[in-house]
Amino acid sequence: MLALAWEPIVDLALAEDLSSGDLTTEACIAPDARAVAHAVARGPMVACGADVFARVFAKIDPHVSFEAHVAEAAGVEWGARLWTVRGRARSLLMGERTALNFVQRMCGIATVAREYVSKLPQGSRTRITDTRKTTPGLRALERYAVRCGGAHNHRDNLGSAVLIKDNHVVAAGSIAAAIDRAREGSPHTTKIECEVDTLEQLDEAIAAGADSVLLDNMDTATIQEAVARARGRVVLEASGGVTLARVRELAETGVDAISVGALTHSAPAADIGLDFETK
Amino acid sequence: MLALAWEPIVDLALAEDLSSGDLTTEACIAPDARAVAHAVARGPMVACGADVFARVFAKIDPHVSFEAHVAEAAGVEWGARLWTVRGRARSLLMGERTALNFVQRMCGIATVAREYVSKLPQGSRTRITDTRKTTPGLRALERYAVRCGGAHNHRDNLGSAVLIKDNHVVAAGSIAAAIDRAREGSPHTTKIECEVDTLEQLDEAIAAGADSVLLDNMDTATIQEAVARARGRVVLEASGGVTLARVRELAETGVDAISVGALTHSAPAADIGLDFETK
Amino acid sequence: MLALAWEPIVDLALAEDLSSGDLTTEACIAPDARAVAHAVARGPMVACGADVFARVFAKIDPHVSFEAHVAEAAGVEWGARLWTVRGRARSLLMGERTALNFVQRMCGIATVAREYVSKLPQGSRTRITDTRKTTPGLRALERYAVRCGGAHNHRDNLGSAVLIKDNHVVAAGSIAAAIDRAREGSPHTTKIECEVDTLEQLDEAIAAGADSVLLDNMDTATIQEAVARARGRVVLEASGGVTLARVRELAETGVDAISVGALTHSAPAADIGLDFETK
Amino acid sequence: MLALAWEPIVDLALAEDLSSGDLTTEACIAPDARAVAHAVARGPMVACGADVFARVFAKIDPHVSFEAHVAEAAGVEWGARLWTVRGRARSLLMGERTALNFVQRMCGIATVAREYVSKLPQGSRTRITDTRKTTPGLRALERYAVRCGGAHNHRDNLGSAVLIKDNHVVAAGSIAAAIDRAREGSPHTTKIECEVDTLEQLDEAIAAGADSVLLDNMDTATIQEAVARARGRVVLEASGGVTLARVRELAETGVDAISVGALTHSAPAADIGLDFETK
Amino acid sequence: MLALAWEPIVDLALAEDLSSGDLTTEACIAPDARAVAHAVARGPMVACGADVFARVFAKIDPHVSFEAHVAEAAGVEWGARLWTVRGRARSLLMGERTALNFVQRMCGIATVAREYVSKLPQGSRTRITDTRKTTPGLRALERYAVRCGGAHNHRDNLGSAVLIKDNHVVAAGSIAAAIDRAREGSPHTTKIECEVDTLEQLDEAIAAGADSVLLDNMDTATIQEAVARARGRVVLEASGGVTLARVRELAETGVDAISVGALTHSAPAADIGLDFETK
Amino acid sequence: MLALAWEPIVDLALAEDLSSGDLTTEACIAPDARAVAHAVARGPMVACGADVFARVFAKIDPHVSFEAHVAEAAGVEWGARLWTVRGRARSLLMGERTALNFVQRMCGIATVAREYVSKLPQGSRTRITDTRKTTPGLRALERYAVRCGGAHNHRDNLGSAVLIKDNHVVAAGSIAAAIDRAREGSPHTTKIECEVDTLEQLDEAIAAGADSVLLDNMDTATIQEAVARARGRVVLEASGGVTLARVRELAETGVDAISVGALTHSAPAADIGLDFETK
């Protein structure tokens, strides 16, 4: 994960918390006191965000050293020691909250993603994917967390793939016209996905040369029929109202991808503590 | 809510989604097509974020006009129309996801906050407060959402109040020493709060002149006793392991504030749709 | 063309030229003197960049008004009046060079692009495309200029499509392995293009499911054979050593796209003057 | 060349290409794979931009090491190895295009500049200079490239010297009045140059105390006469319609400087490849 | 003093002075020449700003080394060597003015602050404090300088404490109403200070539960009376028209704090030279 | 004065004071309350900074209107009304301190500058100039204030003119060598000033073709002699230890410029109040 894509949000977060200093730490902790702090999982979770955790402290103080105890994307149990930072006690205390705010969110998303993936039938080729329903400013980090959880990403942003929705179809006049316009207006390296509500629209999208089709809010039987009609010709994505409970039956239809907004917009924070050893 | 405190995160969010343009919209929607889009609640919620919603579209296109149908902080039912934007169809489609990503999070937090507040006994003077466990980059917006939900804010950042925790006490040698150092090192306009685990520590903090005391992870009976010992001399805050179910009994102890990290770190997004009228 | 994608480079350009003010204009021109300035083509060209031209002056002085005399992407002859700005004479003189530096480059690229497109046989479905060999900081503007010239864009950046090159193949072990890894690692909305040097590699790429294939530095006869083998199954792009003189013969092979780095890395500036009327 | 003057454009360029990551490289190249890459001249050129080349990779990955094989501003032949970077293969592949986009432009400008300088008569004291017709955002780098080519810079921006043009003269009432106002309004450390179209204007500018005079679009005979009138009293610059073919005859007039916009606005990119050794 | 709070102003200052390079130094000093430069006090002063001094040079050239000869906040005499930087002569010359502009201001403020503090009676518990009348962009540095001088800070900004002034009282209807609203609208960790002009207002503020009271422009006798009325119940701050000459008599009233805008808005720069040893 | 040169420092200053909101104003002032506020001189001064004053409020709230009662650079007496802002009471209260911090500094500098200028003999052609000893981040504003006071600017930054100092001379080997190198390395539009300590050095600098010479810390008789030797051939600047009392005698030597660091580094803030009318 390339740091330049997420350093702006780290800078913004540090400015929020530290632009007026840390009154308590500056008053109570000697400048030369040193400490060690361990990030510890307070529940089972998928570990995610080591680089961000390390960078928060490094931005405060380049002399803080960092050590990881688990691999990125590893599943860990309650009590697992994830990462350790060592250095000036002031620097560790100043970065604690900001670092945790990042990784609790990232581990939370990775954990939810893995839960969804675990519901797929053994050997399934269906993907669980995220959406663009990410936290403002955190998209790169949240997409990374989704991958750590074993799920896949959807398009990154409005310029990285075409996704024709109902308003685009209405404006273009028809699904076929919208796909033609999109193909003409996009690089030849861009895939064109089209959202459909009915099997008739699916047929129209396939005929017009869509690369993939988003089946919006369809029941399982209809998705099954869509797979039968389309397989081998377009990639199919099921979307809308996906719950953990429904993942297995959706995947069993043979759909290629199931997109789940809740991976990013509603994942609860993972519980991680920072335990200090003072020396 | 002063825009200059949250414009950086709006800029960052727009850059994430739109820095490569919107391939679909530019291909399918005529530059001069106009549209109207209504933000609609897809469930009961507290309305929050009108200014941010409007600003996202205004940053894309200063000619988009905005209208609010409900007051900030109003509780609304399923189906309520919250806000309307009017202008170039391209501009509305380009801003849709970013605008919703902001307000779904803000309404989600405001809604959870109000739920906690609703558990307080009639006439209670106890506050529900947030913590610094906010989303990186969104602190100003999330604190605002907490207020819209009827809860209160805790300190904004490490420079706006003193909060002495166990590591500070250990480093200073005692609670009294930590409070003395903090008082000497801080402006006379700064309050000093001290976290305690026991009633003995509470007594020590009061004797040393703390302005407020955070009772960390105490059971209700101990908190009750703390209130009895302290009332009138310091502000008391209960913290740690607070659930909706426990709010009432905590408040009935007469504690001044109950802080809840989950208000911001784990509130699920509110479900809001953007319904387009094309003309 | 969404302004937020190119405002940073406008700000940077204005800072370069004006961060120490304009000694001459401030000394010689009265603050309230008004003027009109017309951008005039000093040769035949494709008009491109009206929004950028206007924005440069608006950043200096929001009261400068702007008028376009030709449509974006229109071909114009020597002497054509392109755009007019009106306002404080100081503001027009201060913005002159920066505004021209942008549009001379944009019109230059659009003009070269149109020249390449004009060499395509009548009715050809082959595209001329740009590459990522753009001027640092100006990618969005230069890609737009390419489109104004009637050519098409290639992928925007390293995250918007997969393009497997020789080093990737070597690292993955084979073309097939590289394509498999890329498919697994990318969103289902991402196209996979693979660069090949031989027809055998082309076959391998098609068999592995590439969406498009870049034929690197092949002679025309080989490209012809590639088209025969591949048509209907993958998109084919010819690349490397493309000159104006060779466009027609390449297009006649039926290749889908011809990419030309020179569109952006070596287009000479179009000659545009700014004629002042002082009043 | 001080890095802080050009780091903003390096950041902008990296954001353009890498803000969504590098899908291909992340999928195909193992995180710990290492590589060596050599920048090689694919034609004769003036080497220019080693610091920028190195910095692009260092911004992606501070552990990439850099080695230069030629001195800045050295002339090299086809096939010359210019610079080598060593480190993680991913980092080298991610930075390749951005690094080359910078140095191809810089070497291109340095090469053109040297070509102009080579046309000066043996022992000539005439300077070839650039203008403010630089690429937006790249002024510091392009001015440096001009110097590497052996040419000189003109004023950096509108605040670093006075250059009185026709509109300033009209507004001030006369050349003399414009020069007086400029002298009064500028630091005593600022030179005043005045653009003239005729020898009469030249006389007026000299009489008014101009430090240098720009002879705009004059034929060679007139320039010769201008030199005769002015030598020893002001610096003379010939400008407008300067081609390679005309440099010698212009220099032989004894004019002090010849400014050439084409050095920066239309220099074709130098052809530089990046050859990878994978290990 | 956390660097991230003041790096933006260092960047801005360097851009002001160096964004067009250093013509003199680049022309006259060989790139590999090395030098040593000593910051020397040209008068008695309080040393302040070592980190900022070092950082200015480090931003220009990370290989410049730094050494401090005196502790921060130490009082020094004429001729004292404060700090030494070693490295490339070019880097030292380029950073000289910017580094001195920072530390001359910081030492100047620290020196004035110490002068005020020195006027307090032996053993006094009264504080001298700054105000928000700081130089735009330099607040963090100037507040730090105040502390180095032995004085204290007032609230950092409009969000770090409540300070009710006359306009707020008028708008709220009364002092009591303003204090009630402020208490309700602020975190429980926020102190509420109220400005008063009369002893009656002081009584009202105390009764309403103010944490501290600012006595605005009162004569010494009135302040004495205020202290008598208030001691033990609120913190009292004297403000307005405070001169060095009046500090002692004000402190003898027993007031808790005396705020002095002149500490930051009008402190003359300390005289510091940078003496070069060239080797 | 072009706003883009000073908007960054306005943004920084507003962020310092308002990034956590304004607790007092938000609690006490109704959102729709309106007010009028008048900036009033609390002493004689030179008015300076109307644009900055207006911009601070406009950044907080674009609906605040602004009116100037005096011309920029006008001298005013105690009690003069300078500027008025009208709009939401909250916006005026939030901007008050930041706006005043700017203009008190600017008026202070303009006032001191005028005082120095007033000491020049009647009809003198000698200039009072500033130096680069400006407040970090405020250079453009402080140079403007110097001009409002009737004084002149020195070079803006290290790239806008050459100023050869002792270290440059030592490194180059001699004054003549330093001047030659500087001339070769600088644009022909750049003036070359050389600092000298003795009349012999002055002769050497003139002989080498310096455009101006800085006479460093010379006594008045020596300056007189320097003027006699140099007049008509170079511009002469007296520098070092200039006090108000010495201006007249220095100017009477006929020196062209007298530079005074104290104009910017030690000017006391002008006293300006903001008087509110609430309606």
Side-chain angles (χ1 to χ4, degrees), chain C residues 135-220:
Chain C
T135 308
L138 293 167
R139 185 164 290 172
L141 295 177
E142 295 189 348
R143 283 164 56 89
Y144 170 77
V146 164
R147 297 195 301 272
C148 282
H152 286 74
N153 295 137
H154 206 292
R155 65 172 173 166
D156 186 18
N157 58 48
L158 292 169
S160 46
V162 167
L163 178 41
I164 295 167
K165 301 195 178 178
D166 50 358
N167 290 301
H168 300 110
V169 170
V170 169
S174 71
I175 283 177
I179 290 174
D180 278 356
R181 285 200 203 172
R183 189 183 300 113
E184 172 55 25
S186 301
H188 69 272
T189 54
T190 301
K191 269 199 181 163
I192 295 173
E193 184 166 53
C194 183
E195 182 179 302
V196 304
D197 296 320
T198 66
L199 294 173
E200 291 66 41
Q201 288 182 321
L202 169 63
D203 292 341
E204 188 181 351
I206 294 174
D211 294 298
S212 67
V213 173
L214 183 155
L215 307 170
D216 190 32
N217 273 312
M218 289 184 179
D219 61 34
T220 306

Side-chain angles (χ1 to χ4, degrees), chain E residues 33-48:
Chain E
R34 299 185 67 74
V36 176
H38 310 288
V40 178
R42 304 239 182 281
M45 64 183 64
V46 174
C48 178

